[in-house]
Amino acid sequence: YAMLLSLIFLIVLVAAVVGFVFRHEIKTNFESNLNLALRDYNVTADRHSEAVDTIQRTLHCCGVQNYSDWEKTEYFTQRGIPQSCCKSQDDCSEEDLKDLSKAKPKVFVDGCFFLVTSTMESKMSVVAGISFGIACFQLVGIILACCLSQYITNNQYEMV
């Protein structure tokens, strides 16, 4: 049991160190994937399009760096900026969303990349605290399992 807990502890420790060391690569990878999701965005309900819509609605953002990122997409040439960028669904018409200057006051202008990464970084202290607490319980479990093993081993010799 102590060996199993030690293995889990080491896996979590390695994952935390790798995540910390490669955090810039994770950000870069997220940004490129978000750009790909915008480029391939369409009106059919695929997972990537739904994820983009959810991020934009939840964080009140639009595009990767800003709302004008949509201008480079095929979706923009057909339909304009997506409805998920609108501040108010009642105020956004399809004609307004096809023109960036008309759309600017009606859509969120901030990009999603900065908001997602800043939200993640602000929650990192909570995640680190919870991880540290779990690691402490694992270490206590390892120590108690070793003590129990030692106690059982000592009692076997006394019975003979």
Side-chain angles (χ1 to χ4, degrees), residues 53-152:
D53 286 336
T54 302
I55 289 171
Q56 290 182 152
R57 277 192 206 103
T58 306
L59 296 178
H60 303 291
C61 60
C62 189
V64 178
Q65 300 300 329
N66 58 39
Y67 75 103
S68 65
D69 291 337
W70 283 103
E71 189 177 26
K72 304 169 200 152
T73 65
E74 186 178 322
Y75 181 83
F76 182 82
T77 58
Q78 296 170 359
R79 298 197 171 196
I81 298 172
Q83 288 284 332
S84 59
C85 285
C86 292
K87 293 177 182 175
S88 170
Q89 296 298 323
D90 302 332
D91 192 27
C92 280
S93 68
E94 202 169 307
E95 293 173 14
D96 292 338
L97 294 176
K98 287 184 178 182
D99 184 11
L100 285 179
S101 59
K102 288 181 183 177
K104 186 175 182 177
K106 298 182 179 194
V107 298
F108 304 113
V109 292
D110 296 329
C112 294
F113 175 70
F114 175 73
L115 289 173
V116 168
T117 55
S118 63
T119 302
M120 286 173 51
E121 287 172 357
S122 70
K123 305 294 183 201
M124 280 303 191
S125 59
V126 174
V127 171
I130 291 170
S131 300
F132 182 73
I134 291 171
C136 287
F137 279 115
Q138 282 181 322
L139 288 175
V140 168
I142 292 168
I143 292 168
L144 290 177
C146 289
C147 290
L148 181 63
S149 172
Q150 186 68 32
Y151 178 75
I152 291 172

Side-chain angles (χ1 to χ4, degrees), residues 16-75:
V17 168
V18 167
F20 180 75
V21 169
F22 293 110
R23 68 186 180 279
H24 298 295
E25 286 82 1
I26 293 170
K27 278 184 182 180
T28 304
N29 195 8
F30 174 71
E31 185 177 17
S32 65
N33 284 332
L34 192 56
N35 278 319
L36 284 173
L38 254 65
R39 189 192 70 193
D40 297 337
Y41 184 89
N42 56 31
V43 289
T44 60
D46 70 329
R47 294 181 329 200
H48 301 287
S49 299
E50 287 178 17
V52 170
D53 286 336
T54 302
I55 289 171
Q56 290 182 152
R57 277 192 206 103
T58 306
L59 296 178
H60 303 291
C61 60
C62 189
V64 178
Q65 300 300 329
N66 58 39
Y67 75 103
S68 65
D69 291 337
W70 283 103
E71 189 177 26
K72 304 169 200 152
T73 65
E74 186 178 322
Y75 181 83

